[in-house]
Amino acid sequence: MKDWLKKIKASLSLQELEDIRVDLLGKKGVLTQQFAKMKTIPNEQKKEFAQNLNKQKSDINQEIENQKTILMAQALQKELEATKIDVTKFTPDSATAAYHPVMDTMDKIIRYFQNLNFAVEDGPLVEDDFHNFEALNLPAYHPARDMQDTFYCKDSMVLRTHTSPVQIRTMQNSKPPIRMIAPGTVFRKDFDITHTPMFHQIEGLVVEKDGVVSFANLKFVMEEFLTYMFGDVDVRFRPSFFPFTEPSAEVDISCIFCNGKGCRVCSHTGWLEVLGCGIVDKNVFDAVEYKNVSGYAFGLGIERFAMLIHKIGDLRSLFESDIRLLGQFR
Ligand code: DAH
């Protein structure tokens, strides 16, 4: 028996330990066979024989359990060592760290509009009612406020639900002509495969003195921009509604997954909606006291662009901080 205990202690793997257990306690195991001998033992010796065997069995089980614990700890240690990351160590890999696809897409869009002489503007994430709603022709109780699931803070402040308030701030702080984009974080109370409570938008605004800005200007710039982002796609303007623009349009590109033939991603329509835009509503100019001007505006979700460009299926994967996602974008 001592030899068996030694053998157990010396076992180097869980498999080896299991083999020993079977040799001893399996159907044809050494100890199992001893138990089978019980029948042949004279009655007066049975008790002692049984006690002895049971003791051996329990010693062996005990030893197997001990050894199992040790081997499992060793296996874990090995695994930990194999997957250990020293975050302080410089490796050649550090030089090829990846840009997050959302930031990468944001940069690409910013660069495009900077080349057209658009300034990049910024605004607060915690916004007041006037800038987020009122000045954008969304007065209190306007039904269109329901389009945006707002996070409310104290004192009628909100987490901005879009980047459009930066339009208002920019117009308040400068004079026409204006050409600006405003990239940034926005917040809405929404969470499913296509919505996260925090996401990113880019807003665009062009304002000129007098009535020189037309829908044709807007259409041209959007078509050029979308061709730059998505390559050779068809672009379609669909009449729509936004409180801050009139007329308004939603813009679709032909589906980049099926070339417009119809597939699951485009819900078999052949088209993918990518942005909203329109001619700035007069009420918006009134709110910032601009007179005799004309302009167009547009707004888009950066995650949507990133997902289409990189063919990412689930929006939430962009925010799970799984380093393997980034690894794919080296
Ligand atoms: N603010 C809109 C939204 O969050 C996007 C938008 C649409 C912005 C049309 C615009 C615009 O400037 O003209 O859904």
Side-chain angles (χ1 to χ4, degrees):
M1 191 46 59
K2 271 204 187 121
D3 283 352
W4 283 106
L5 291 176
K6 259 193 209 152
K7 231 175 157 175
I8 291 170
K9 268 195 183 132
S11 67
L12 293 174
S13 70
L14 288 168
Q15 186 55 52
E16 191 183 337
L17 186 62
E18 174 61 11
D19 291 344
I20 297 171
R21 193 192 65 77
V22 173
D23 286 346
L24 279 167
L25 299 166
K27 255 191 192 153
K28 293 188 182 142
V30 180
L31 261 185
T32 314
Q33 280 172 11
Q34 293 287 322
F35 275 105
K37 274 194 195 148
M38 191 80 105
K39 286 185 265 173
T40 63
I41 302 288
N43 271 343
E44 63 276 16
Q45 292 170 22
K46 260 198 172 113
K47 189 174 167 200
E48 199 191 334
F49 183 83
Q51 275 175 344
N52 185 17
L53 268 185
N54 279 328
K55 166 102 174 58
Q56 288 186 31
K57 188 175 171 184
S58 107
D59 285 353
I60 278 171
N61 274 329
Q62 180 71 45
E63 199 56 45
I64 288 177
E65 278 315 305
N66 285 348
Q67 188 64 8
K68 207 173 181 174
T69 312
I70 293 170
L71 288 175
M72 273 164 57
Q74 280 173 356
L76 177 66
Q77 193 57 31
K78 229 178 174 173
E79 161 103 25
L80 286 176
E81 249 149 56
T83 56
K84 186 160 87 179
I85 298 172
D86 178 358
V87 291
T88 64
K89 192 168 161 186
F90 183 85
T91 66
D93 262 5
S94 320
T96 55
Y99 238 165
H100 192 282
V102 171
M103 291 302 129
D104 188 45
T105 305
M106 188 191 282
D107 269 6
K108 199 171 174 199
I109 300 173
I110 292 174
R111 256 181 281 129
Y112 181 82
F113 285 102
Q114 276 182 323
N115 282 334
L116 295 182
N117 257 335
F118 282 62
V120 181
E121 302 288 350
D122 200 5
L125 303 186
V126 181
E127 195 43 286
D128 57 53
D129 188 88
F130 178 78
H131 289 92
N132 197 78
F133 293 124
E134 192 83 30
L136 289 162
N137 198 26
L138 270 153
Y141 308 113
H142 192 292
R145 282 203 184 194
D146 286 351
M147 283 158 69
Q148 313 202 334
D149 300 295
T150 311
F151 284 111
Y152 291 93
C153 311
K154 270 198 255 171
D155 306 324
S156 76
M157 300 293 280
V158 299
L159 294 187
R160 70 176 182 191
T161 56
H162 48 182
T163 40
S164 306
V166 185
Q167 281 188 23
I168 305 297
R169 289 185 176 275
T170 306
M171 287 193 279
Q172 286 175 325
N173 296 331
S174 50
K175 289 200 183 79
I178 290 173
R179 259 172 210 213
M180 58 138 266
I181 51 167
T185 315
V186 300
F187 306 88
R188 288 186 201 177
K189 242 167 32 195
D190 225 344
F191 193 45
D192 58 38
I193 336 184
T194 52
H195 298 90
T196 47
M198 185 277 306
F199 59 104
H200 300 83
Q201 288 188 332
I202 290 196
E203 183 78 14
L205 174 72
V206 169
V207 182
E208 297 283 351
K209 285 181 211 152
D210 305 319
V212 298
V213 172
S214 72
F215 203 94
N217 300 142
L218 167 64
K219 191 159 183 261
F220 175 76
V221 173
M222 291 301 104
E223 280 170 356
E224 289 294 303
F225 164 60
L226 292 171
T227 307
Y228 168 78
M229 293 302 289
F230 294 106
D232 190 17
V233 288
D234 290 333
V235 178
R236 166 174 97 165
F237 281 64
R238 242 179 325 104
S240 183
F241 171 78
F242 297 102
F244 22 88
T245 44
E246 178 59 35
S248 304
E250 279 175 310
V251 182
D252 301 336
I253 56 169
S254 51
C255 180
I256 52 176
F257 295 93
C258 62
N259 284 324
K261 287 192 200 77
C263 66
R264 211 169 45 84
V265 184
C266 61
S267 306
H268 303 282
T269 62
W271 295 97
L272 297 164
E273 184 194 320
V274 289
L275 59 84
C277 62
I279 295 295
V280 179
D281 195 291
K282 181 169 175 304
N283 289 344
V284 174
F285 287 138
D286 287 348
V288 293
E289 295 170 20
Y290 270 28
K291 290 189 178 62
N292 301 322
V293 292
S294 57
Y296 67 75
F298 56 92
L300 61 91
I302 299 173
E303 280 77 5
R304 172 124 179 104
F305 273 59
M307 287 173 73
L308 292 175
I309 290 167
H310 296 294
K311 307 210 161 36
I312 297 167
D314 185 339
L315 172 63
R316 290 169 297 193
S317 68
L318 292 172
F319 300 115
E320 280 167 351
S321 300
D322 187 332
I323 200 149
R324 288 169 299 185
L325 178 96
L326 282 189
Q328 296 173 49
F329 297 101
R330 289 247 172 83

